Amino acid sequence: MAVLALPDLAAAQVGAECRANPHLSRAKDEYERLEFDRAARTLQRAIEYSRNCKWDLAEIYRLKGFVDSVNSERERCQRAFEILLALDPSYTMPGNVPPKIRSCFEDALQVAPARRTLAIRHQPPQTALPNAPVGVDVRVIDPLRLVDKVQVFFRREGVDVYTAVMARADDEVSVVIPALALGPDPDGYAVEYFVRAVDRWEGTLAEAGSPREPLRFRVAEAKLSKPVYERWWFWTLVGVGVAGGVGTAVAVTSGSGDDFTLRFDVAGGR
């Protein structure tokens, strides 16, 4: 099902970088002191910390799998290890872990990779038109149902700050960059962007591109309208006005678009 970003999700300038998690080191210390119940509570706070980095989330779920195994939470530890493998498919369990932990991890390994894959697929847009919205189409692969939103961060090339738009997660999502963000330029320009799948607390789960290595698409050159006084017919009208009298003053009042009012003040009358 395709989901579009809602119009009330206005573009906003936000921090594009993830944040280091202050709870993770505390949970590790608690685990080393064998305070497993306390570590479990700290790990939940770590999961709910805003804008987690992907590598921190992988470590959080690794440690959660250890704690849940020790606490004989079989279903929870297996899910934690499945999420770990979705975030870090290359992870291997050290050889010196207790059998209880290894057994739960091996159960997670037995789950078919297709059921614990986490990824986003995306094709960059074709050249965009100025003053027109651009839909960024994203396919979300998330059998574990971890992804809550899909975010698109974008900026004009040469600008430091990213602007973000987002949509609720689904299998197929189209996140719309609004027309107002893609103004006209006679030379055209490039837009840098990246796509991010995040959890309920905007922790990074998967990305296409990144803040430091963004993807790109171009906005086409704009044919800007000439001012009224640069058009050939303007001076033709002035000439017609001058023919009606001597000492003519010309006044132009601009309206909307190409509309204007042309007034002639002629010596001896108006």
Side-chain angles (χ1 to χ4, degrees):
M1 177 180 178
V3 177
L4 271 66
L6 300 177
D8 59 346
L9 294 178
Q13 290 187 344
V14 297
E17 298 288 350
C18 61
R19 301 195 301 168
N21 194 306
H23 303 292
L24 181 53
S25 60
R26 187 179 308 120
K28 289 180 178 179
D29 290 341
E30 291 165 348
Y31 178 81
E32 293 297 328
R33 296 195 300 266
L34 308 183
E35 299 173 351
F36 301 123
D37 289 340
R38 181 172 294 180
R41 292 192 295 271
T42 302
L43 286 168
Q44 188 58 40
R45 287 194 291 272
I47 290 171
E48 296 174 5
Y49 184 70
S50 175
R51 288 173 33 211
N52 271 310
C53 299
K54 182 178 179 180
W55 50 86
D56 275 352
L57 278 175
E59 181 63 9
I60 289 166
Y61 281 106
R62 181 197 70 81
L63 189 56
K64 179 172 170 54
F66 277 45
V67 170
D68 288 341
S69 296
V70 171
N71 287 337
S72 299
E73 297 282 359
R74 193 72 181 184
E75 291 184 5
R76 291 183 180 181
C77 73
Q78 180 174 331
R79 177 168 172 81
F81 284 138
E82 287 179 26
I83 295 173
L84 164 64
L85 291 168
L87 294 168
D88 183 7
S90 64
Y91 177 81
T92 56
M93 184 68 71
N96 60 347
V97 299
K100 201 172 185 179
I101 296 174
R102 177 170 296 280
S103 174
C104 191
F105 179 73
E106 288 176 350
D107 286 347
L109 278 177
Q110 294 303 313
V111 174
R115 291 173 50 196
R116 52 176 170 81
T117 299
L118 180 59
I120 52 178
R121 301 283 185 263
H122 164 68
Q123 289 294 329
Q126 301 297 319
T127 300
L129 297 176
N131 290 329
V134 172
V136 179
D137 298 328
V138 182
R139 182 184 174 210
V140 180
I141 303 169
D142 178 31
L144 293 172
R145 296 302 176 194
L146 300 170
V147 180
D148 184 66
K149 291 184 289 291
V150 176
Q151 301 172 325
V152 173
F153 292 78
F154 66 94
R155 66 186 180 187
R156 182 164 172 163
E157 188 175 35
V159 175
D160 292 333
V161 180
Y162 282 97
T163 298
V165 289
M166 66 188 72
R168 289 290 176 185
D170 208 322
D171 295 341
E172 302 286 341
V173 178
S174 183
V175 186
V176 179
I177 298 176
L180 287 176
L182 303 174
D185 188 299
D187 299 320
Y189 54 91
V191 172
E192 298 178 329
Y193 74 102
F194 64 96
V195 184
R196 178 179 287 168
V198 298
D199 63 17
R200 288 176 55 193
W201 302 278
E202 298 193 6
T204 300
L205 298 169
E207 285 184 326
S210 69
R212 301 186 184 185
E213 296 183 0
L215 307 171
R216 288 175 174 81
F217 66 85
R218 283 200 61 80
V219 176
E221 298 86 348
K223 296 180 180 179
L224 302 179
S225 299
K226 292 182 178 180
V228 170
Y229 57 81
E230 290 187 9
R231 302 191 183 191
W232 65 269
W233 44 261
F234 173 79
W235 293 108
T236 300
L237 289 175
V238 171
V240 172
V242 171
V246 180
T248 301
V250 181
V252 178
T253 303
S254 297
S256 61
D258 288 335
D259 296 338
F260 68 96
T261 301
L262 185 63
R263 190 182 78 248
F264 297 96
D265 290 341
V266 183
R270 298 181 76 167

